[in-house]
Amino acid sequence: MSAPVPSDTLLANAMALHRTGNLAGAEPLYRTLLERHPDHPDALHLLGVLRSQAGDPAEGASLIAGAIARRGNVAAYHANLALALKALGRFDEAEAALRSAIALAPGVGPLVALGGVRRAGGRHAEALAVYCAAQTIDPGDGAAQEGIAHAVSELARMDSGKPASALTAYRRAFRLRPAAPFAAYNLALTLQKAGETGAAIPVFQAAAALDPAEPAVLSGLGLALLSVRRGDRAAAIRAQAILARVVRLRPRDAQDRFHLAEAAQAAGDADRAATAYKDTAALRPTDYTAWENAALLDARGDRLAALAVHAGGLMAAARAKHLFWKAPVYIAMHVANDRIAAGRPNAAKQALDHFRQAAADENRGLLPWIDFLRGSLLLRMPGNEAAGDEAAGRAVLKTLVPALPFLRHVTFGDDFDALCRSVSPEERADHRAGFQSEPATEGAGPLLFAACDDRYLRLFAAPLLLTVDAFCGEGQRVHLHIADPDPDIAEVVAGLRAPLRRCRLTVSTERTPPDLDPASRCTLYTCLRLMRAPDVMDLHGHPPLVMIDIDALLPIDPRRLVDAMAPEEEAMLIHRPDSLDYLYNTISNGLIVLRPSDAMLEVLERTATVLLHWQRQRSMAYFLDQMALIQGFADVERRRGAVGILPIEELGRRLGVSNVFLPFFDEKHRAGFTEQMSALTARIHEETRTAGRSEEERRAALTDLVRRLQAATPTPR
């Protein structure tokens, strides 16, 4: 029987394995030593470090604390305890541990670690101060300079500042550590964020030469090549090869697969791109864009068998709630629209047939929606033997009314005019008598108009008004119409008016019919703006009108919306007349700007009249407001001629503004939403009152607040 290994040898062997990264080999040796000597401080410390490195910082912190209890005068013990506590998010305790380490062994290393703890805790300005103190001790320390660069970058991002100061700091860090791959990577990444992607490429290449197996570096290089040389197929092919290496190194990373798909698509390799998009969706079933791009590439390549399989996967993903329930319908529509735009309606029909079969097999709840698209295709392509038959299209839509009740409101020919004539002048006058309003407030600019019920008023009116007040000119007119207000409405309105500095607010109210069922009442609330627009326009003397959802923000001066329209343009709105969902979604009425021309006033009057008809008939369904407005425009165009419409997308290009309308995406009935909106309102108040920010910076901050989106760009390492 061999003699036991001496304790000193056991510790030395464990440390040697540990240094080479063999954690599995070192751990049992440390534990054997602790069985012999439970109070061995070095063994406790080193096993604690190992457990932290192995992903168990809680056990690591406990073991290292045990070592400190037995020998508290070793600076490395305290420094490594801090690392474990930092990994656990216990930043105050980590800082205390580092202060103990600094007291025992002052120097640059513990100060840099302290800066890292403060950065991790979001205290970037305090982290910067510590890094600068470390640099004062040793101006040539690359780790301290890297920390300065990180802190400066984070402070610039938080203040919506430009990364120029961070770029200078990262350049110096790279000069101090030219052989460190991530010094080069961080400089390249910062150059890219500063819009200097061309200059970033050679720095990415330097980082890749230093560490050719680091996925983050290779990914940065591939994406930089793809970005700076758009349209250059040779660059795209090179980027594809680099990103393929990244996928081999990180085969389970969905974002890497997506980047490879983009590169393959840019390189003209549609088959490889489609496969990579499908691989992305398999790894990340919630990635709508990956599903959509794969389906489009399958359809464009006439890979119908692949499209059929893909459609089935989409339907299953939506059924499993990996995607928004209606996502397969939107993707089917985009594929069909793409084929129609390419002059191939027969290919659109084939694609929809595959989606229909997939719905029948995997998600029968979406069958009516796919059939709606097929019926719309028949309507849109009359005379096309492969795809078009107007009578057949109408027949399909008629059969779908039980499943999609809004289709009962589709009108053809003179049907809309007949509905208008069915409402008597007495009914219209009676409806107008229900409009109870304050006198119109004096003001300037176009009239901003929103309508809602009492609940939505309390949830959303303050964020909307605060945002408009921050961006508008002096005397901006705003009208809010409120259905079924509670008795304290006067106090609520007074609270809304109090913080306004530029806006002039007018409020009107009405009581809706008491016998409406809940679904019809909800639909009526969505229709209120259009039903009351003629009354509001009459009250204010027919100014230009900006209609907006109450549950949205408008981070732009409303005057700019009207001023951007050409003289011949009478309306500005989301306009999709060429899409297969045009019957209910040609116009999305979240944001609409109307000039008070005779044609536009007639659109409003006739749309309100038809909505009153459906209310009196107690025949209301979701999308009714949009459908009525779509048909109101079509009716006036039939009798007066074409109406000049400016699509919102074109407005954004004219103004150089990407966000003129920010809707709230949150589920409004989920638990805690009211409290969340209250906190968000306070943040919006803070953002809109912050001095020294440009309009673009303020808009960016509001967009970030409302959408709650995580930045997809890589972070410095």
Side-chain angles (χ1 to χ4, degrees), residues 35-58:
E35 287 172 6
R36 296 181 190 175
H37 307 289
D39 293 329
H40 196 299
D42 285 339
L44 286 167
H45 167 241
L46 292 168
L47 180 58
V49 172
L50 182 148
R51 292 306 304 152
S52 293
Q53 293 169 334
D56 189 355

Side-chain angles (χ1 to χ4, degrees), residues 597-635:
S597 66
D598 290 344
M600 286 302 94
L601 293 174
E602 190 169 355
V603 166
L604 292 177
E605 182 66 39
R606 291 175 72 79
T607 299
T609 301
V610 163
L611 286 170
L612 179 59
H613 162 81
W614 289 118
Q615 179 194 317
R616 295 293 170 90
Q617 294 294 314
R618 298 296 190 267
S619 178
M620 306 181 77
Y622 203 63
F623 302 124
L624 179 59
D625 55 334
Q626 288 181 201
M627 296 179 72
L629 186 61
I630 290 165
Q631 294 164 23
F633 268 92
D635 171 72

Side-chain angles (χ1 to χ4, degrees), residues 108-109 112 131-148 169 171-180 183:
V108 172
V112 171
Y131 288 132
C132 289
Q135 191 184 57
T136 300
I137 296 171
D138 183 357
D141 188 89
Q145 180 59 38
E146 195 85 10
I148 289 172
R171 288 188 196 278
R172 187 167 190 275
F174 182 45
R175 286 197 300 271
L176 290 172
R177 306 171 83 183

Side-chain angles (χ1 to χ4, degrees), residues 444-493:
L447 176 67
L448 183 70
F449 174 40
C452 60
D453 67 340
D454 187 89
R455 176 174 177 264
Y456 268 35
L457 177 79
R458 295 168 192 267
L459 272 177
F460 299 110
L464 173 61
L465 290 171
L466 286 169
T467 305
V468 173
D469 197 59
F471 284 86
C472 71
E474 188 64 39
Q476 173 62 52
R477 292 178 286 186
V478 181
H479 189 111
L480 295 183
H481 181 68
I482 308 156
D484 303 320
D486 282 351
D488 64 344
I489 184 63
E491 290 83 358
V492 174
V493 171

Side-chain angles (χ1 to χ4, degrees), residues 52 57-58 60-62 64 78-98 117:
S52 293
S62 177
I64 299 171
H78 294 276
N80 285 325
L81 175 61
L83 291 176
L85 293 169
K86 176 185 173 186
L88 292 168
R90 293 158 59 180
F91 302 123
D92 290 343
E93 295 172 70
E95 179 160 343
L98 280 168
V117 168

Side-chain angles (χ1 to χ4, degrees), residues 612-688:
L612 179 59
H613 162 81
W614 289 118
Q615 179 194 317
R616 295 293 170 90
Q617 294 294 314
R618 298 296 190 267
S619 178
M620 306 181 77
Y622 203 63
F623 302 124
L624 179 59
D625 55 334
Q626 288 181 201
M627 296 179 72
L629 186 61
I630 290 165
Q631 294 164 23
F633 268 92
D635 171 72
V636 168
E637 286 190 322
R638 237 185 334 264
R639 291 179 297 101
R640 285 180 170 268
V643 172
I645 294 177
L646 171 66
I648 280 181
E649 296 80 1
E650 176 59 29
L651 175 86
R653 284 190 288 272
R654 288 185 188 180
L655 295 177
V657 172
S658 57
N659 296 300
V660 296
F661 170 69
L662 305 176
F664 291 101
F665 291 116
D666 300 84
E667 291 296 329
K668 300 173 179 64
H669 298 287
R670 75 164 185 262
F673 180 76
T674 300
E675 293 76 13
Q676 190 178 26
M677 277 303 306
S678 178
L680 190 59
T681 300
R683 288 287 307 280
I684 289 171
H685 189 277
E686 179 183 333
E687 288 291 347
T688 54

Side-chain angles (χ1 to χ4, degrees), residues 402-672:
L404 305 177
F406 68 87
L407 291 177
R408 75 166 62 97
H409 302 297
V410 173
T411 62
F412 296 97
D414 293 329
D415 295 348
F416 188 88
D417 183 61
L419 293 179
C420 285
R421 286 186 281 105
S422 73
V423 179
S424 69
E426 292 77 18
E427 287 178 302
R428 191 79 182 99
D430 181 59
H431 177 66
R432 288 207 160 187
F435 178 76
Q436 303 296 313
S437 181
E438 306 170 331
T441 306
E442 293 291 330
L447 176 67
L448 183 70
F449 174 40
C452 60
D453 67 340
D454 187 89
R455 176 174 177 264
Y456 268 35
L457 177 79
R458 295 168 192 267
L459 272 177
F460 299 110
L464 173 61
L465 290 171
L466 286 169
T467 305
V468 173
D469 197 59
F471 284 86
C472 71
E474 188 64 39
Q476 173 62 52
R477 292 178 286 186
V478 181
H479 189 111
L480 295 183
H481 181 68
I482 308 156
D484 303 320
D486 282 351
D488 64 344
I489 184 63
E491 290 83 358
V492 174
V493 171
L496 293 172
R497 280 195 173 107
L500 301 181
R501 298 177 298 176
R502 299 186 184 91
C503 288
R504 304 291 180 264
L505 176 63
T506 302
V507 172
S508 57
T509 62
E510 72 174 285
R511 293 288 170 188
T512 59
D515 62 334
L516 290 176
D517 62 82
S520 295
R521 186 173 303 283
C522 182
T523 300
L524 177 58
Y525 289 157
T526 68
C527 296
L528 279 176
R529 275 181 306 164
L530 297 175
M531 295 182 75
R532 289 305 182 185
D535 305 293
V536 169
M537 289 289 277
D538 287 348
L539 177 71
H540 290 271
H542 297 170
L545 186 66
V546 178
M547 290 195 286
I548 189 172
D549 286 339
I550 191 72
D551 54 335
L553 303 182
L554 189 70
I556 191 170
D557 188 339
R559 292 167 175 80
R560 293 183 65 190
L561 302 179
V562 178
D563 292 344
M565 297 169 68
E568 68 276 8
E569 291 165 345
E570 300 172 86
M572 185 278 291
L573 39 78
I574 292 174
H575 196 226
R576 304 186 183 100
D578 297 325
S579 180
L580 282 183
D581 64 352
Y582 72 103
L583 290 172
Y584 74 90
N585 202 28
T586 301
I587 294 170
S588 178
N589 64 344
L591 174 64
I592 294 177
V593 181
L594 299 177
R595 283 202 167 116
S597 66
D598 290 344
M600 286 302 94
L601 293 174
E602 190 169 355
V603 166
L604 292 177
E605 182 66 39
R606 291 175 72 79
T607 299
T609 301
V610 163
L611 286 170
L612 179 59
H613 162 81
W614 289 118
Q615 179 194 317
R616 295 293 170 90
Q617 294 294 314
R618 298 296 190 267
S619 178
M620 306 181 77
Y622 203 63
F623 302 124
L624 179 59
D625 55 334
Q626 288 181 201
M627 296 179 72
L629 186 61
I630 290 165
Q631 294 164 23
F633 268 92
D635 171 72
V636 168
E637 286 190 322
R638 237 185 334 264
R639 291 179 297 101
R640 285 180 170 268
V643 172
I645 294 177
L646 171 66
I648 280 181
E649 296 80 1
E650 176 59 29
L651 175 86
R653 284 190 288 272
R654 288 185 188 180
L655 295 177
V657 172
S658 57
N659 296 300
V660 296
F661 170 69
L662 305 176
F664 291 101
F665 291 116
D666 300 84
E667 291 296 329
K668 300 173 179 64
H669 298 287
R670 75 164 185 262

